[in-house]
Amino acid sequence: MSRIGKMPVVIPAGVTVSFADGVITVKGAKGTLTQKVEGDIAIKVEGAHALVEKGSDSAELDAKHGLYRALLHNMVVGVSQGYVKSLKVNGVGWKVAKQGKKLVMNVGFSHPVEFEEPEGITLSCPTQNEITVAGIDKTLVGQTAANIRTIRIPEPYHGYGIAYSDEVIERKEGKTGGKGKK
């Protein structure tokens, strides 16, 4: 039985949770999120708490029980507080700028790389070496940040690349120039 699935989800003031026809709908100050629920799982809202309940004791439902509780919690946090991922750009002469709905990056290629802002995501550049990805959907924020990072993955010798702000890049020692050979 899932220990995560049994925990109630606290619903803050200003957030409404509803469950009808196998779809969870969460509305808050920052927006609305929906999630389709598969299997014999129901969401019960009791006051300022929401409980995820399963209909039977199968192994498949045990896994989904914890999954849907975690998804519901992420939706509640998203519509009330939102999610933010921060990236840093490290390289000689590398910079990023926001132009309309596009993020234009000069990151060591012969041409600038343009990244279109997805629906539901806000991209910003507080400095020319920093990118902030914000939104209400946790998976979309994380996937967008990962897509930006894959444009120039950090390399271990100089540390050049686009990395998460809290990421530690393990540095390697370069070549020693053939010392010790005779």
Side-chain angles (χ1 to χ4, degrees), residues 38 44 49 54 69 73 97 108 149 163 166 177:
E38 296 177 1
K44 300 269 195 275
H49 296 290
K54 57 184 183 162
R69 190 267 176 206
H73 178 263
R149 184 179 178 273
D166 57 351

Side-chain angles (χ1 to χ4, degrees), residues 13-35:
V15 176
T16 59
V17 176
S18 61
F19 181 71
D21 300 326
V23 177
I24 305 169
T25 305
V26 181
K27 295 179 184 177
K30 293 191 177 266
T32 303
L33 291 172
T34 58
Q35 175 68 45

Side-chain angles (χ1 to χ4, degrees), residues 1 39-42 44 52-58 61-62 65:
M1 187 150 194
D40 191 15
I41 293 192
K44 300 269 195 275
V52 179
E53 297 178 349
K54 57 184 183 162
S56 64
D57 282 334
S58 68
L61 271 183
D62 281 345
H65 186 219

Side-chain angles (χ1 to χ4, degrees), residues 81-167:
Q81 300 170 9
Y83 289 99
V84 176
K85 285 255 185 198
S86 182
L87 299 148
K88 59 184 176 184
V89 178
N90 185 18
V92 176
W94 293 15
K95 59 185 176 180
V96 294
K98 181 93 185 285
Q99 292 179 355
K101 291 257 183 204
K102 290 184 180 177
L103 188 66
V104 179
M105 297 175 272
N106 293 317
V107 287
F109 294 116
S110 62
H111 59 285
V113 178
E114 293 183 351
F115 187 85
E116 189 74 32
E117 187 175 82
E119 187 71 31
I121 294 293
T122 305
L123 298 174
S124 62
C125 300
T127 65
Q128 65 181 6
N129 291 329
E130 194 175 343
I131 303 167
T132 304
V133 182
I136 61 172
D137 188 352
K138 185 175 186 178
T139 56
L140 187 58
V141 169
Q143 187 61 53
T144 303
N147 290 345
I148 292 171
R149 184 179 178 273
T150 58
I151 292 170
R152 203 66 189 234
I153 296 173
E155 54 91 23
Y157 295 101
H158 299 289
Y160 294 163
I162 302 172
Y164 297 112
S165 61
D166 57 351
E167 182 178 5

